[in-house]
Amino acid sequence: MNELSKSVLFSSLPSFISSLEATMILMVIPLIAKDFSITYVKASTLLSIYIVTEVLLSIPFSLLAEKVGVKMVIILGTMIMALSSFLIIFSNSFLLILILRIFQGVGASMVLLTSLSYASLIGSDEERGKMIGLNHTIVSLGYVFGLPLGGIIAEINWKYLFAITSVLSFISLFLILSLNEVHAKSGLGINIIYTSLIFDGIILGLYYPPFLLLSLVGLVMTLWKIKLGKVFYLTSLSGFLHSITRNMIAAFFVFYLYSLHLPALIIGSLVLLYPLSFTFVSFYAGKLHDKYKLRVASFGFVSMALSSLSLFFNVILGEFLLGASSGIATTSNTAYTMSSVRNKDRIVASGIRSVQGVVSNTIGLIIASYFRTFLTPYAEITVLLNLASLLILGIVVFFANIE
């Protein structure tokens, strides 16, 4: 492994840990509810408070990363995750654990944006797709291992989940210290908060609809004040729509396989097929993007739409096809989006893209929870949103040809 790849590996580890815990905790929420004699809904606030914190702070922290450097923010975020996870191990109050989960969300919001920032800023434009592909591969491995590991922990002691997060964070912290610092200052300044309002309004609006007005205000002000270019905004929109389907389909497989009442080990193994195929393809999709650019993302969106039809014939085959298609589309589209902005704007652009991922994940889970195991709406939604993403890429190409 060359030095460039090693740097991306080390800088992506905190995001891997964050995604690992985000998946593991799904398996222990029922146990936490039982131990504290609270409802499942109340125990689930451990998930929602974490997500809301990530969304509210990721973009503002991009301003901090511009000021003090990407490496420094990675270190701060990883340290906060390590310490808050460690304290949860010794906490016997649900309220205290909830507060510490907020701190975990603060740390996660820092590492979420900086891992993509680092992968986007180091190396040449010719290698950017490969570096972003490596970043996506590492982060998605957290989701791959999180479910089975969470199932094992659920059988022993749910607090071991936070012990694992804490230990891995401290190890990651040691490795990060060897990275070179990366600086970039866009000059957008406080205006970037307008973009934050878009996603803050969406995520808060999912819990209280009037907050959606914030999104409208944020959108208007973003288009007026923040000049990142129409290519960035259009490809970000295409990625956002696709990401909703990616997360929706991932949740569907979990719900569907559990509905079959198979043994837990078999369910855990089958659920892994989707993220494993995504992870395997992501790195190679990044390398292909460096050569073929938007054609790779376009192929990914088309294949994602077509692969959804395989769910009507064989769900297991659908896991392979949809995971691989999503890996192609996600990695290539992200690489193109990040390449479309100036080098100095890539920290704030990473913050925007990262928080998009959190919001789209939440929307995908809500859709999946509503439809559960009904095949029909999943296929239609996947086809429509990915074809819409493809249409948006067509608009990007059109603009590129007339300029």
Side-chain angles (χ1 to χ4, degrees):
M1 180 179 291
N2 60 34
E3 286 301 316
L4 198 61
S5 297
K6 187 183 295 184
S7 295
V8 173
L9 170 61
F10 289 174
S11 64
S12 300
L13 283 177
S15 287
F16 162 81
I17 297 166
S18 177
S19 64
L20 180 73
E21 187 192 280
T23 312
M24 287 195 296
I25 200 171
L26 290 170
M27 305 298 289
V28 301
I29 288 294
L31 297 177
I32 293 174
K34 181 180 179 182
D35 279 5
F36 289 101
S37 300
I38 57 178
T39 65
Y40 182 88
V41 173
K42 186 174 181 180
S44 295
T45 56
L46 293 174
L47 295 173
S48 58
I49 198 71
Y50 181 88
I51 293 169
V52 169
T53 304
E54 271 192 310
V55 173
L56 291 177
L57 297 180
S58 287
I59 294 178
F61 274 137
S62 67
L63 297 176
L64 179 64
E66 285 193 335
K67 188 175 182 64
V68 303
V70 174
K71 175 184 173 181
M72 181 57 68
V73 174
I74 298 177
I75 291 173
L76 289 173
T78 306
M79 190 178 299
I80 292 171
M81 285 202 308
L83 291 174
S84 55
S85 299
F86 180 75
L87 291 173
I88 288 177
I89 301 170
F90 303 99
S91 303
N92 294 312
S93 161
F94 180 77
L95 178 59
L96 179 57
I97 293 174
L98 191 63
I99 293 170
L100 290 170
R101 280 290 286 172
I102 294 174
F103 280 99
Q104 281 189 312
V106 172
S109 67
M110 291 182 175
V111 303
L112 189 70
L113 76 97
T114 46
S115 70
L116 180 57
S117 297
Y118 208 91
S120 301
L121 285 167
I122 64 173
S124 63
D125 286 342
E126 289 73 23
E127 296 177 297
R128 183 149 296 110
K130 184 171 67 173
M131 294 302 101
I132 289 176
L134 179 58
N135 171 258
H136 276 308
T137 300
I138 295 166
V139 175
S140 61
L141 280 173
Y143 297 106
V144 171
F145 294 120
L147 197 64
L149 188 57
I152 294 170
I153 291 171
E155 296 294 325
I156 306 172
N157 187 322
W158 60 264
K159 285 193 174 182
Y160 288 171
L161 181 158
F162 300 102
I164 290 172
T165 301
S166 182
V167 170
L168 290 178
S169 295
F170 279 120
I171 293 173
S172 177
L173 193 59
F174 173 76
L175 296 174
I176 292 167
L177 293 175
S178 66
L179 296 176
N180 294 320
E181 182 59 275
V182 176
H183 289 278
K185 190 168 181 63
S186 66
L188 293 173
I190 200 68
N191 284 335
I192 195 65
I193 299 299
Y194 295 130
T195 304
S196 184
L197 289 178
I198 299 174
F199 302 104
D200 294 348
I202 291 174
I203 202 71
L204 293 173
L206 294 173
Y207 300 99
Y208 187 60
F211 275 113
L212 291 172
L213 290 174
L214 283 176
S215 296
L216 181 60
V217 174
L219 179 61
V220 172
M221 296 302 293
T222 293
L223 295 176
W224 180 28
K225 291 284 190 177
I226 302 174
K227 309 302 181 184
L228 288 174
K230 54 181 172 285
V231 171
F232 174 81
Y233 289 121
L234 286 171
T235 53
S236 291
L237 177 59
S238 66
F240 182 68
L241 296 177
H242 165 74
S243 187
I244 291 173
T245 64
R246 183 181 75 237
N247 293 293
M248 176 189 73
I249 289 292
F252 161 75
F253 288 128
V254 175
F255 292 140
Y256 178 80
L257 291 169
Y258 270 97
S259 73
L260 299 179
H261 304 293
L262 299 170
L265 182 60
I266 293 178
I267 291 173
S269 300
L270 292 177
V271 164
L272 290 178
L273 296 178
Y274 179 79
L276 277 175
S277 56
F278 176 95
T279 301
F280 179 78
V281 169
S282 287
F283 179 67
Y284 295 99
K287 296 175 72 173
L288 285 172
H289 169 84
D290 291 331
K291 185 175 182 180
Y292 297 108
K293 307 301 180 187
L294 271 187
R295 281 175 286 181
V296 180
S298 300
F299 175 76
F301 291 140
V302 171
S303 59
M304 186 76 176
L306 293 176
S307 296
S308 66
L309 302 178
S310 66
L311 294 175
F312 293 107
F313 305 102
N314 189 300
V315 171
I316 304 304
L317 175 63
E319 281 200 82
F320 278 113
L321 295 177
L322 286 163
S325 300
S326 186
I328 294 169
T330 301
T331 302
S332 178
N333 188 75
T334 302
Y336 194 87
T337 301
M338 297 308 298
S339 297
S340 71
V341 297
R342 297 170 298 180
N343 197 68
K344 66 179 184 177
D345 290 330
R346 284 181 182 152
I347 293 178
V348 294
S350 295
I352 294 171
R353 286 293 309 214
S354 298
V355 78
Q356 276 182 320
V358 178
V359 174
S360 63
N361 178 58
T362 305
I363 294 173
L365 287 174
I366 288 174
I367 294 173
S369 297
Y370 184 79
F371 290 115
R372 304 291 289 188
T373 57
F374 296 101
L375 279 170
T376 301
Y378 284 98
E380 275 86 342
I381 293 170
T382 302
V383 169
L384 288 174
L385 292 186
N386 280 278
L387 290 181
S389 299
L390 183 65
L391 176 62
I392 292 168
L393 289 194
I395 296 171
V396 171
V397 173
F398 174 77
F399 280 128
N401 288 335
I402 64 175
E403 289 180 352

